């Protein structure tokens, strides 16, 4: 009987071991299965993302065109001859000059011919009448082997592009697509690339929808294409929202440290970066004579004559005749300018189209601004007669530094009024913690020995009322 019990006990222990091994094997199998599924899902997700990216690249190339490699470009400059839509603050010649500048901004692109197109409307299927089309064919034939046509209007309909491409056998670009390609070329940071990618989607979606409307007016877009665009846009907006939150944290830190901010805005290539370089003496800034050279909002420290440290914000430039959807993604970074204490609006006073450029920037920023004061700065004053400069503008030359000291004084005057900084006189012991606190937390504009007691200093400081309260609490510690 004892032997039987012993045998049963051994058998039970073996059975328990077998059960444990079986459980371990099952568990291991489950883990391996989960890992395989995870790996499979990850690979599947990667393949799907790669597939979507290839599909998007193909669609983007179709509707935006290809810029790499360059083009020998023929520019067609349409303009409305008369009526409500006629532009009265510029001219076709000035519009053409900007169109040429846009093409010359793209690497390996050049202009080989140009023609004006006076129209009553931009809505015709072929854009031009039959006679104008024949004349354009002749102009193209005379040009030096053009490989693309740039119709310099903000947004062509896709059927207009298709008709013109069919007639001339060349790819056709509008202003939206050209500016997007310039953005792509100049976007170096992840932030800028994100905003450019988001700016492309409304254009591509619009073109896709225009091509997919059948004769009965029903839009026939594949669900896969629609989902792909929606998914990409949603991801980009989510990333942009995170960027917005990050910028908010940075702005709060700046406010906490009491740095006043001055935003420099203006038309593209008006000299924003050059002006900030002149104001800050920052040799690392390298302005470029190109349209949309700056796509990011960046901060640069400067010091005013009263020794107040401030931040100058460089911003993306504005341009006429492009849809709002192109600039909309950049509003996130423009917020840094919108909430600045002071706005500097710089414009190129020597530019032939200065009036139209100035009005465009003013109209664009008007809905964005609150009560901040705006200082008008007429740049490149050395290239015009003094009587050409408006009396309410500060005349400067960022290149020769003319008027820069005067501008610093004006910024100082406006900032002191706007920010509510107090000009205080403080008597503290020389070398004391109180003196150190004031030097660290406020702007000390002057320091003199107390004539009645050499152990004390008379400090002139710029500080907010909040700083003064903090100083009082510090003294009580």
């Amino acid at each position: 009987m004892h032997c039987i019990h012993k045998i049963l006990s051994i058998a039970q222990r073996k059975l328990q071991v077998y059960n444990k091994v079986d459980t371990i094997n099952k568990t291991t199998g489950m883990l391996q299965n989960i890992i395989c599924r995870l790996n499979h899902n990850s690979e599947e997700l990667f393949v799907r993302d790669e597939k979507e990216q290839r599909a998007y690249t193909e669609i983007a190339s179709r509707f935006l065109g290809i810029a790499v490699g360059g083009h020998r470009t023929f520019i067609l400059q349409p303009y409305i001859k008369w009526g409500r839509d006629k532009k009265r603050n510029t001219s076709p010649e000035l519009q053409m000059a900007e169109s040429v500048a846009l093409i010359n901004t793209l690497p390996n692109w050049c202009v080989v011919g140009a023609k004006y197109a006076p129209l009553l409307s931009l809505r015709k299927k072929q854009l031009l009448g039959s006679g104008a089309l024949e004349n354009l064919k002749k102009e193209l034939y005379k040009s030096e082997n053009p490989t693309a046509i740039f119709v310099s209007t903000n947004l062509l309909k896709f059927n207009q592009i298709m008709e013109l491409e069919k007639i001339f056998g060349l790819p056709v670009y509008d202003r939206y697509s050209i500016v997007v390609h310039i953005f792509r070329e100049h976007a170096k940071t992840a932030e800028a690339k994100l905003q450019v990618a988001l700016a492309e989607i409304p254009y591509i979606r619009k073109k896709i929808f225009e091509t997919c409307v059948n004769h009965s007016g029903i839009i026939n877009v594949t669900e896969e294409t629609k989902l792909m665009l929606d998914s990409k846009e949603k991801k980009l907006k989510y990333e942009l929202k995170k960027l917005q939150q990050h910028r908010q944290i940075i702005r709060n830190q700046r406010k906490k440290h009491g740095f006043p901010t001055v935003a420099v805005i203006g038309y593209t290539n008006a000299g924003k970066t050059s002006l900030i370089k002149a104001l800050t003496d920052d040799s690392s800034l390298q302005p470029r004579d190109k349209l949309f050279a700056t796509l990011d909002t960046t901060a640069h420290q400067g010091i005013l004559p009263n020794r107040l440290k401030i931040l100058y914000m460089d911003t993306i430039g504005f341009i006429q005749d492009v849809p709002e959807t192109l600039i909309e993604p950049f509003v996130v970074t423009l917020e840094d300018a919108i909430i600045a204490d002071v706005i500097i609006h710089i414009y190129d006073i020597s530019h032939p189209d200065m009036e139209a450029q100035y009005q465009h920037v003013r109209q664009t920023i008007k809905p964005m601004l609150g009560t901040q004061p705006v200082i008008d700065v007429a740049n490149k004053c050395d290239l015009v007669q003094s009587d050409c400069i408006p009396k309410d503008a500060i005349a400067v030359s960022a290149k020769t530094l003319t008027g820069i000291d005067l501008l610093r004084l004006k910024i100082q005057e406006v900032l002191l009024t706007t920010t509510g900084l107090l000009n205080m006189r403080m008597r503290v012991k020389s070398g004391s913690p109180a003196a150190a606190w004031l030097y660290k937390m406020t702007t000390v504009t002057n320091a003199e020995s107390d004539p009645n007691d050499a152990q004390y200093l008379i400090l002139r400081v710029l500080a907010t009322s909040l700083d003064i309260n903090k100083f009082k609490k510090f003294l009580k510690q």
Side-chain angles (χ1 to χ4, degrees):
M1 183 67 70
H2 178 73
C3 290
I4 292 171
H5 281 300
K6 192 173 183 179
I7 291 168
L8 285 173
S9 179
I10 292 169
Q12 281 178 335
R13 284 201 298 272
K14 283 186 176 182
L15 184 60
Q16 286 173 352
V17 171
Y18 291 147
N19 286 338
K20 284 180 181 178
V21 170
D22 186 49
T23 302
I24 290 168
N25 287 337
K26 284 180 181 177
T27 305
T28 304
M30 286 172 64
L31 284 172
Q32 287 174 341
N33 190 30
I34 290 169
I35 291 167
C36 286
R37 285 208 308 273
L38 285 171
N39 287 338
H40 176 69
N41 289 343
S42 299
E43 288 168 8
E44 198 176 71
L45 183 63
F46 177 76
V47 169
R48 189 166 73 246
D49 284 348
E50 283 287 298
K51 185 180 176 182
E52 282 185 3
Q53 187 55 42
R54 283 198 302 272
Y56 177 78
T57 302
E58 187 179 331
I59 289 172
S61 298
R62 180 185 176 195
F63 294 105
L64 283 166
I66 297 171
V68 178
H71 273 298
R72 300 171 60 79
T73 315
F74 187 96
I75 298 176
L76 180 67
Q77 182 63 61
Y79 65 93
I80 303 299
K81 291 188 288 186
W82 58 71
R84 186 183 62 183
D85 296 331
K86 175 181 168 64
K87 292 186 177 180
R88 290 175 170 79
N89 62 354
T90 186
S91 68
E93 291 76 21
L94 293 173
Q95 290 176 283
M96 176 68 84
E98 185 168 89
S99 302
V100 171
L102 281 168
I103 292 301
N104 288 336
T105 300
L106 284 166
N108 304 316
W109 286 57
C110 64
V111 178
V112 296
K115 183 176 175 58
Y116 296 98
L119 302 171
L120 294 176
S121 168
L122 296 168
R123 299 184 186 90
K124 282 187 179 180
K125 186 177 180 182
Q126 295 177 337
L127 193 67
L128 306 174
S130 56
L133 285 170
E134 285 302 315
N135 288 335
L136 182 54
K137 281 182 183 178
K138 292 175 185 176
E139 292 288 338
L140 284 165
Y141 183 75
K142 291 178 188 176
S143 301
E144 300 175 24
N145 302 317
T147 61
I149 298 173
F150 171 34
V151 182
S152 188
T153 187
N154 65 0
L155 194 63
L156 289 172
K157 291 187 176 179
F158 187 74
N159 62 349
Q160 290 176 315
I161 292 173
M162 293 295 289
E163 284 292 317
L164 293 171
E165 288 183 343
K166 187 168 65 176
I167 292 167
F168 300 112
L170 295 172
V172 174
Y173 296 81
D174 55 19
R175 280 175 76 93
Y176 199 124
S177 57
I178 290 295
V179 172
V180 162
H181 284 303
I182 294 172
F183 281 2
R184 283 179 170 186
E185 180 65 28
H186 292 173
K188 303 303 179 186
T189 65
E191 178 182 327
K193 288 176 181 177
L194 174 66
Q195 291 170 109
V196 173
L198 192 55
E200 296 174 7
I201 292 179
Y203 182 89
I204 294 168
R205 184 184 283 119
K206 182 177 175 62
K207 292 292 178 280
I208 288 176
F209 275 45
E210 286 174 2
T211 59
C212 297
V213 178
N214 60 26
H215 295 295
S216 60
I218 299 171
I219 295 174
N220 181 24
V221 182
T222 63
E223 190 64 23
E224 186 180 0
T225 302
K226 185 177 180 300
L227 286 173
M228 179 193 67
L229 288 174
D230 290 347
S231 173
K232 186 173 180 67
E233 187 175 49
K234 187 177 179 181
K235 288 175 186 174
L236 290 169
K237 284 184 175 179
Y238 175 72
E239 292 299 322
L240 203 58
K241 188 176 180 180
K242 287 201 298 185
L243 172 66
Q244 197 171 11
Q245 291 168 346
H246 176 66
R247 281 191 166 274
Q248 184 62 49
I249 292 169
I250 294 172
R251 284 199 295 266
N252 290 341
Q253 287 175 344
R254 284 206 302 265
K255 286 181 180 178
K256 185 178 177 182
H257 289 91
F259 287 121
T261 54
V262 177
V264 181
I265 63 166
Y267 206 79
T268 182
N269 210 29
K272 294 181 292 296
T273 305
S274 297
L275 181 66
I276 292 173
K277 182 176 183 177
L279 287 165
T280 60
D281 299 319
D282 187 349
S283 58
S284 67
L285 283 170
Q286 297 299 325
R288 292 178 292 165
D289 188 16
K290 289 184 177 181
L291 302 183
F292 298 109
T294 300
L295 292 184
D296 295 286
T297 296
T298 53
H300 308 271
Q301 184 177 298
I303 301 176
L304 295 178
N306 62 6
R307 300 183 186 178
L308 179 65
K309 291 179 181 178
I310 66 170
L311 290 176
Y312 292 102
M313 313 298 295
D314 200 357
T315 62
I316 183 174
F318 297 91
I319 194 168
Q320 301 174 80
D321 204 18
V322 293
E324 288 181 9
T325 50
L326 183 57
I327 302 298
E328 191 177 334
F330 293 88
V331 170
V332 172
T333 48
L334 273 171
E335 282 181 354
D336 279 327
I338 295 165
I339 64 165
D341 297 300
V342 175
I343 309 292
I344 289 177
H345 175 196
I346 182 174
Y347 56 93
D348 180 354
I349 191 66
S350 70
H351 199 286
D353 207 17
M354 181 275 294
E355 185 181 346
Q357 292 181 357
Y358 178 88
Q359 289 176 5
H360 173 74
V361 174
R362 280 292 188 157
Q363 288 168 4
T364 305
I365 65 169
K366 189 177 179 180
M368 304 179 190
L369 294 177
T371 57
Q372 305 100 310
V374 179
I375 301 172
D376 278 341
V377 173
N379 191 27
K380 304 184 186 179
C381 68
D382 53 321
L383 302 180
V384 299
Q385 298 293 325
S386 58
D387 58 358
C388 296
I389 300 167
K391 292 181 180 179
D392 56 351
I394 304 285
V396 306
S397 170
K399 186 177 180 181
T400 66
L401 303 184
T402 302
I404 295 299
D405 288 339
L406 182 63
L407 178 57
R408 285 197 187 102
L409 287 170
K410 181 65 176 178
I411 294 168
Q412 177 176 292
E413 176 193 332
V414 175
L415 261 179
L416 290 178
T417 304
T418 305
T419 58
L421 285 170
L422 305 172
N423 193 346
M424 304 289 291
R425 182 175 179 273
M426 300 284 188
R427 183 177 180 271
V428 290
K429 198 166 186 178
S430 180
S432 66
W437 192 97
L438 289 172
Y439 271 104
K440 182 180 179 181
M441 305 302 293
T442 68
T443 299
V444 178
T445 60
N446 190 42
E448 295 176 353
S449 294
D450 187 339
N452 300 318
D453 189 342
Q455 293 186 45
Y456 284 84
L457 291 172
I458 305 296
L459 301 182
R460 278 283 178 185
V461 302
L462 289 173
T464 63
S465 55
L466 182 63
D467 290 331
I468 301 302
N469 288 331
K470 286 181 179 178
F471 182 59
K472 289 177 180 177
K473 288 179 181 178
F474 174 80
L475 293 176
K476 291 178 181 177
Q477 290 177 0

